[in-house]
Amino acid sequence: MNFRAEIRAGEVEAFGKLFDDFGRSVYNHAFRLTGNWSTAEDVMSLTFLEAWRLRAKIDPEGESLRPWLLGIATNVARNTTRTSRRHAAMVARLPAPIDQADFSDEVAGRLDDAQQLAAIRGALGRLRRPEQEVFALCVWAGLDYATAADALGIPIGTVRSRLSRARKKLSNALSNQLPAEPEPPDQSGQVLGDCGSTAVRPSQEIPR
């Protein structure tokens, strides 16, 4: 029985290996979409719960299950963001508590990592949600057009057009926010764009 068949059959050890192999990748994808450490943790947990529920729908043939998980994570992040916005709106209507807890020490160690993505997150926030999702899957998660289309359940042409629009908008936004950087020699510091072109990628995964 191959790995996919074991997952489909509900083998607990196989599902544990799935988490070990792709948990960090799912977490980083969730953080890039939400920009929030705590929310990314929730999205990661919900993604694997949803993957367990949907395990019978896994194609018996195929290679990595990472694109499948990232597609689930994208949907979970979308729903979680909507819920968070409704919750925030509700909380905003409540009277402010007298004493506010100070979380400055807790978040201080994470500021440097968050600031590395601050400019990009700001630019991404101005993209339409579908454009954000395609950019995250193709550029940051490394999926090609076809795999990203399959993960999102949309045509390849839609992935191409959304990514093209996202890149143009980000290029314009970041050119106004970030100082010009020297060209890296011999493609150093660049990777082949996951959807067929060259794209800047963070040097390492976001630490948990």
Side-chain angles (χ1 to χ4, degrees), residues 48-68:
F48 281 93
L49 287 174
E50 186 70 358
W52 176 263
R53 188 180 71 83
L54 298 175
R55 65 189 184 280
K57 295 184 178 181
I58 293 176
D59 186 346
E61 302 297 329
E63 298 179 1
S64 174
L65 287 171
R66 180 170 173 265
W68 177 67

Side-chain angles (χ1 to χ4, degrees), residues 119-167:
I120 296 177
R121 280 294 309 167
L124 279 173
R126 290 191 286 274
L127 298 180
R128 294 172 57 243
R129 184 74 189 185
E131 294 167 350
Q132 292 181 34
E133 294 170 352
V134 167
F135 184 88
L137 285 174
C138 286
V139 177
W140 270 335
L143 305 190
D144 58 27
Y145 287 123
T147 309
D150 185 61
L152 293 173
I154 58 178
I156 293 179
T158 302
V159 172
R160 289 177 181 271
S161 61
R162 288 179 182 176
L163 183 61
S164 177
R165 289 195 300 269
R167 280 176 169 153

Side-chain angles (χ1 to χ4, degrees), residues 80 170 183 198:
T80 301
L170 286 174
E183 288 292 328
T198 302

Side-chain angles (χ1 to χ4, degrees), residues 24-91:
R24 179 172 291 275
S25 183
V26 169
Y27 172 84
N28 281 294
H29 180 62
F31 176 75
R32 289 159 182 162
L33 287 176
T34 64
N36 182 281
W37 302 96
S38 178
T39 303
E41 291 277 4
D42 293 340
V43 169
M44 181 182 68
S45 299
L46 291 171
T47 294
F48 281 93
L49 287 174
E50 186 70 358
W52 176 263
R53 188 180 71 83
L54 298 175
R55 65 189 184 280
K57 295 184 178 181
I58 293 176
D59 186 346
E61 302 297 329
E63 298 179 1
S64 174
L65 287 171
R66 180 170 173 265
W68 177 67
L69 288 170
L70 294 183
I72 295 175
T74 300
N75 291 329
V76 171
R78 185 186 305 145
N79 295 334
T80 301
T81 300
R82 289 172 182 166
T83 301
S84 297
R85 286 174 180 167
R86 289 195 294 267
H87 180 265
M90 179 189 71
V91 171

